[in-house]
Amino acid sequence: MLASTHKKPSKKLKKQKLVDATGKDQNSTNAHSSDVDVKSRTLFVGNVGVTAKKTHLLKLFRQFGKVQTVRLRGITPADPGTSKRLAAIRESFHPKRTSCCSYVVFENREDALNACSLNGTKFKENILRVQICDDNAELEPSKALFIGNVPFDAEENDLWNTFETFGQIESVRLIRNSETGMCIGVGFVNFKSTDGVALALMADSVQVKNREVRVQRYARTKMKKWQTQQSEVKPVPKKEKKPKERKRKEADNAKVKKSAIFQGSKVHPLKQKKKRNKKLSESQKMIQQIAPR
């Protein structure tokens, strides 16, 4: 029986680069579109209690539709050397942090939009901030306040409890340090109407955790200016030294090194004491004993 000359197809097939009619890589285009699709049905849930579990959030949000994943983020460990994941497993949280954030991914965008109705509701003593991730809408200046001089250990609940006396609040946000997770002293309060802003600005003094805060009307220009000030300053690159300057500096360093070497004390030739002859001194002693002056 003749052996078949037909070769079996290799299991390890190289991934072909698919290019569409416009010349773009379809693989990268598909990956980008998938990321946009996931983002459009993902909810950001802020001010979640640190003691909340994924199962608790799953039970809360699945009433609106099928939930694919729930992720907890923004945990601040009690020990800076401990990873956030290990701190979450051990439940070793910073004593001054009582909240974290979460991302909830739905199967359908419509379900995610309906779940946004939980914004402002209380969940385990914390008032949630629920927002869809592809919502890039800015705050309305007529309904928002800029809060400065906020205590570093403040939480979103503190701002809610303080400013809800002026009107119904839409959302509260504190700006936090990405490494430590603590508040950097800045926050924003978004009211449902302009009346809340007017009443808060008329107040003589507003305190958060027994500390007087600075209340100003929100402005986009101030926000952009603040963002530029808070952005990381890139280190200025050192200028390359010119050859003459480099040689001069090397010569100066060589002089310093040379002078630093221990050479001992030098004696002036005129000041140097002459050594006495020991034999002569002994004979003089004998003469003095025999014939003293």
Side-chain angles (χ1 to χ4, degrees):
M1 187 174 179
L2 296 174
S4 175
T5 58
H6 178 68
K7 294 183 179 180
K8 294 182 180 180
S10 176
K11 293 182 180 179
K12 296 181 180 180
L13 297 175
K14 293 183 179 180
K15 189 177 181 180
Q16 296 180 354
K17 188 176 180 180
L18 302 177
V19 180
D20 57 8
T22 59
K24 295 181 179 179
D25 186 3
Q26 287 186 358
N27 294 326
S28 60
T29 305
N30 295 336
H32 177 70
S33 61
S34 63
D35 293 340
V36 172
D37 176 62
V38 173
K39 190 176 180 180
S40 65
R41 47 191 176 87
T42 302
L43 289 180
F44 170 81
V45 186
N47 198 30
V48 180
V50 291
T51 58
K53 306 292 184 181
K54 291 183 180 180
T55 54
H56 300 158
L57 293 172
L58 182 62
K59 185 178 179 180
L60 176 67
F61 284 96
R62 68 182 178 186
Q63 58 179 315
F64 299 96
K66 189 173 182 180
V67 178
Q68 288 185 341
T69 58
V70 176
R71 292 170 292 167
L72 290 173
R73 295 291 185 270
I75 294 173
T76 304
D79 183 9
T82 307
S83 64
K84 294 182 179 180
R85 184 176 181 180
L86 186 59
I89 296 172
R90 294 179 177 178
E91 296 184 356
S92 176
F93 308 117
H94 196 281
K96 293 185 178 181
R97 282 300 313 275
T98 60
S99 66
C100 62
C101 63
S102 175
Y103 291 93
V104 181
V105 182
F106 281 86
E107 200 171 67
N108 299 318
R109 176 177 171 80
E110 294 181 359
D111 299 336
L113 291 173
N114 293 332
C116 290
S117 61
L118 291 176
N119 181 58
T121 59
K122 186 173 286 188
F123 176 69
K124 292 185 179 295
E125 303 303 325
N126 283 47
I127 304 173
L128 300 179
R129 177 165 69 93
V130 184
Q131 182 182 2
I132 199 154
C133 287
D134 64 349
D135 185 8
N136 298 322
E138 295 186 1
L139 298 176
E140 295 184 24
S142 61
K143 298 180 181 179
L145 289 175
F146 171 86
I147 314 299
N149 199 33
V150 181
F152 296 147
D153 59 344
E155 296 287 341
E156 280 81 355
N157 287 345
D158 299 322
L159 289 184
W160 271 96
N161 298 331
T162 301
F163 286 92
E164 67 180 356
T165 57
F166 302 113
Q168 292 184 346
I169 297 175
E170 180 69 27
S171 63
V172 168
R173 181 187 176 190
L174 286 175
I175 307 301
R176 299 185 179 278
N177 188 302
S178 58
E179 295 182 0
T180 62
M182 303 300 292
C183 176
I184 64 173
V186 175
F188 300 94
V189 178
N190 187 27
F191 288 93
K192 291 185 178 181
S193 65
T194 58
D195 297 338
V197 174
L199 292 174
L201 292 174
M202 290 172 61
D204 296 333
S205 175
V206 180
Q207 292 188 355
V208 176
K209 300 191 72 171
N210 298 325
R211 182 174 182 176
E212 186 174 355
V213 295
R214 187 172 68 255
V215 181
Q216 296 178 353
R217 191 181 295 274
Y218 171 79
R220 292 190 178 96
T221 55
K222 290 184 179 180
M223 180 63 180
K224 290 180 181 179
K225 184 179 179 180
W226 176 81
Q227 286 178 344
T228 55
Q229 291 176 353
Q230 294 296 323
S231 60
E232 294 183 357
V233 181
K234 296 182 180 179
V236 180
K238 294 182 179 180
K239 295 182 180 180
E240 293 186 1
K241 296 179 181 179
K242 296 180 181 180
K244 290 183 179 179
E245 294 180 358
R246 192 183 300 135
K247 288 181 180 179
R248 188 171 60 209
K249 189 158 188 179
E250 289 177 358
D252 294 341
N253 293 337
K255 288 180 181 179
V256 172
K257 288 181 180 179
K258 189 175 181 180
S259 62
I261 299 173
F262 179 77
Q263 296 179 353
S265 60
K266 294 182 179 180
V267 181
H268 195 273
L270 297 177
K271 294 182 180 180
Q272 188 174 6
K273 294 181 179 180
K274 294 182 180 180
K275 294 183 179 180
R276 292 182 179 181
N277 192 350
K278 290 183 178 181
K279 292 183 179 180
L280 184 64
S281 60
E282 290 177 358
S283 61
Q284 287 178 354
K285 287 181 180 180
M286 292 177 64
I287 292 171
Q288 288 179 0
Q289 291 177 359
I290 297 171
R293 290 181 182 180

